[in-house]
Amino acid sequence: MVQCEMCGAETGSPKTVKIEGAELDVCDDCADFGTEVQTQDTSSSSTKYSTSSSSSSSSSSSGGPSGGSSGGGGGSRRDMFDEMDEVVQDYDDRIRDAREGQGLTQEELADQLNEKASLIRKLERGDVLPSDKVQRKLEKALDVSLSAGGGGDDSEWSGGSSTGETTLGDVVKRKD
């Protein structure tokens, strides 16, 4: 028996339903809240917008998301956020230490990067995260790494099916 991802009820035959952009395996009662997703019975477990890093021998015409299958990756689904680098927790200290190590003031660094000095102050206080563009500029100018790498140690998320954890159905109140 599988637990409904919406209400938590045990169901023998869950339906895959799209509810507000999310595909959920739900019971018959909760299936009314969304649109049933038509599944294709193929051996491939990839999605339309697969971003898996295993590049098979298919050639794509652009650098965008691949439209084909990526070869069975053990059944785990990946999305664009798995490939993104995260900014390290101590980015503010790294920026400040590297700037001071080069003997630059905040204003001088801002001029060198063609950014505002107030942005450098906010970054060094940890008030804002650097955009990808500013992060690349800082890494190049200060010769410092601000990337923690893509979610390499994240395990595939599994719902609270048999673990007794809280599900969406434990929190949501239905308006019947």
Side-chain angles (χ1 to χ4, degrees):
M1 295 284 278
V2 178
Q3 214 175 18
C4 172
E5 292 180 345
M6 195 158 157
C7 70
E10 296 287 331
T11 180
S13 58
K15 293 183 179 181
T16 303
V17 177
K18 192 167 207 167
I19 302 173
E20 294 193 12
E23 288 185 16
L24 303 173
D25 291 328
V26 298
C27 63
D28 290 333
D29 294 334
C30 294
D32 296 337
F33 292 107
T35 307
E36 188 167 356
V37 176
Q38 300 299 324
T39 58
Q40 296 176 347
D41 293 331
T42 61
S43 61
S44 175
S45 63
S46 67
T47 60
K48 179 179 177 185
Y49 300 109
S50 175
T51 59
S52 76
S53 58
S54 64
S55 58
S56 56
S57 61
S58 65
S59 61
S60 60
S61 59
S62 68
S66 74
S69 66
S70 61
S76 67
R77 297 172 70 180
R78 299 183 61 81
D79 60 21
M80 62 182 262
F81 298 107
D82 291 336
E83 304 299 324
M84 293 175 62
D85 288 339
E86 295 180 11
V87 177
V88 292
Q89 292 288 327
D90 63 337
Y91 71 93
D92 50 348
D93 294 329
R94 290 187 186 192
I95 294 170
R96 184 182 315 105
D97 293 343
R99 176 184 58 80
E100 290 173 351
Q102 290 187 7
L104 297 171
T105 65
Q106 291 177 339
E107 290 75 18
E108 291 169 341
L109 177 60
D111 288 341
Q112 185 178 345
L113 299 177
N114 199 22
E115 297 289 340
K116 294 184 178 182
S118 61
L119 175 64
I120 303 300
R121 282 192 289 277
K122 289 177 184 177
L123 288 169
E124 289 187 0
R125 281 195 313 257
D127 291 344
V128 296
L129 286 170
S131 67
D132 291 340
K133 180 180 167 187
V134 172
Q135 180 180 343
R136 285 191 299 273
K137 286 182 184 180
L138 285 165
E139 289 175 337
K140 185 176 180 183
L142 299 175
D143 192 31
V144 65
S145 175
L146 302 175
S147 298
D153 61 349
D154 289 342
S155 59
E156 182 68 22
W157 179 81
S158 62
S161 58
S162 64
T163 60
E165 296 177 11
T166 304
T167 64
L168 184 61
D170 296 329
V171 180
V172 173
K173 299 219 185 304
R174 291 178 53 170
K175 294 181 181 179
D176 288 355

